[in-house]
DNA sequence: TCAAGAAATGATATATTATAACATATCACC
DNA sequence: GGTGATATGTTATAATATATCATTTCTTGA
């Protein structure tokens, strides 16, 4: 068993730093501008391993004294999701920092209904099953949403 | 290749009738009341093989002269989704009539981005892959959302 | 270097999706 | 037929998202 979810007491600053470093690399590679606002939104999303709604982000930004309106947040989110740095969790209307933006994956998301944390998986068997099922019905895949809700390991044992 | 999507020119009245008959059976089995409003909403959802939004349903009901407000529609939808007669497509915020409400499945939804139609699959390999992946990370599944967007067979060939 | 165009953000308004709360009507059962 | 449970009506509002135009900032090439 490998728990996808981070251990309690892990050094979360390292998660954040590494995510930002990776985002910088991706933006550089794409000649995309990692502006202050985008960086700010991205790092807010990475403050936890939970998914965050657009309006939660907005509230935080405003509480820090910034005069930000919804479109600003949604634009940053659009930028980040286009680059796959952030993933939208459809069943939560919320956004989640993506671990592995560089791999061309059909990602899967485990969502703990108790602690609220989200973990991304890139399970080949699942991807293969989806592609095979699509092929069987002659369906040309453009995008997939795979979201699995339930209890993470920590929450089943504690 | 078996196309999950219905053929052009199929007898859609039969789809509707069979869905309603099945819904009646399910309601009966659950001692749940298939009221006029619920039946009306259900049959509106089945008017096509597309997913329908709550407000589209509302507009139709109102255009038929009924004095219906959003809560009425959402209540009917909640009733129907609880019984698995209707499925919510998270990535569309829309609702879709479920083919096979009686099987205890992890359903998967193929959504054509061109014609808008939706088809439900119950692919064992996908279900197995999801359960296996969850088991590997000691995750206890409560619910799954599997939505696959792309082009249906008809839309790739025509 | 700076002018022009492109890209990003600001600002205002509004669209879309969903629910809370309480009133009324209908149903099921004794 | 009265009573409690269930369903729907009604009003208001919350939560999520986008359209549009103005302004600012950045980039790039003369």
């Amino acid at each position: 068993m490998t728990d996808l979810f981070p251990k309690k007491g892990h050094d979360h600053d390292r998660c954040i730093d590494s995510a930002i470093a990776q985002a910088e690399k991706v933006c550089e590679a794409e000649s995309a501008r990692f502006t202050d606002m985008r960086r700010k939104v991205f790092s807010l999303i990475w403050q936890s391993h939970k998914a965050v709604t657009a309006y939660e982000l907005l509230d935080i930004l405003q509480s820090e004294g910034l005069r930000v309106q919804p479109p600003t947040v949604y634009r940053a989110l659009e930028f980040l999701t286009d680059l796959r740095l952030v993933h939208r969790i459809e069943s939560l209307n919320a956004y989640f920092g993506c671990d592995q933006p560089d791999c061309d994956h059909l990602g899967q998301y485990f969502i703990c209904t108790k602690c609220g944390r989200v973990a991304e998986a890139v399970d080949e068997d699942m991807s293969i099953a989806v592609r095979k099922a699509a092929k069987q019905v002659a369906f040309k895949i453009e995008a997939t949403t795979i979201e699995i809700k339930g209890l993470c390991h920590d929450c089943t044992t504690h």
Side-chain angles (χ1 to χ4, degrees), chain A residues 2-158:
Chain A
T2 14
D3 197 343
L4 279 176
F5 289 78
K7 291 209 190 328
K8 275 191 182 167
H10 74 284
D11 183 355
H12 189 59
D13 287 343
R14 284 196 56 198
C15 297
I16 300 176
D17 291 349
S18 134
I20 291 179
Q22 189 145 51
E24 273 166 351
K25 238 194 309 190
V26 169
C27 288
E28 171 124 37
E30 301 283 331
S31 314
R33 285 162 54 194
F34 201 40
T35 61
D36 286 352
M37 183 57 73
R38 290 164 178 173
R39 176 187 301 265
K40 181 78 203 163
V41 167
F42 184 72
S43 89
L44 285 178
I45 289 172
W46 270 96
Q47 289 309 299
S48 77
H49 286 278
K50 300 181 187 180
V52 192
T53 70
Y55 277 78
E56 284 169 356
L57 294 166
L58 183 64
D59 287 349
I60 296 168
L61 291 166
Q62 288 179 340
S63 75
E64 292 181 357
L66 296 169
R67 265 158 213 251
V68 176
Q69 298 300 326
T72 300
V73 174
Y74 280 101
R75 283 167 186 148
L77 290 170
E78 186 186 14
F79 172 87
L80 294 166
T81 49
D82 282 353
L83 288 180
R84 299 167 175 279
L85 294 168
V86 160
H87 186 86
R88 180 178 155 81
I89 307 292
E90 300 290 350
S91 60
L92 298 177
N93 296 332
Y95 300 83
F96 176 69
C98 180
D99 277 312
Q100 332 179 26
D102 43 353
C103 83
D104 179 24
H105 55 254
L106 271 59
Q108 302 101 27
Y109 295 85
F110 288 93
I111 302 159
C112 182
T113 53
K114 190 165 168 205
C115 69
R117 291 185 302 169
V118 177
E120 177 172 13
V122 182
D123 182 277
E124 262 308 302
D125 290 347
M126 257 196 274
S127 303
I128 289 169
V130 169
R131 280 193 282 257
K132 185 167 148 246
K135 193 166 183 188
Q136 273 169 8
V137 298
F139 190 90
K140 188 168 177 307
I141 296 178
E142 288 169 355
T144 65
T145 300
I146 300 183
E147 295 170 6
I148 304 163
K149 284 196 181 144
L151 295 177
C152 71
H153 181 58
D154 282 1
C155 286
T156 51
T157 54
H158 299 147

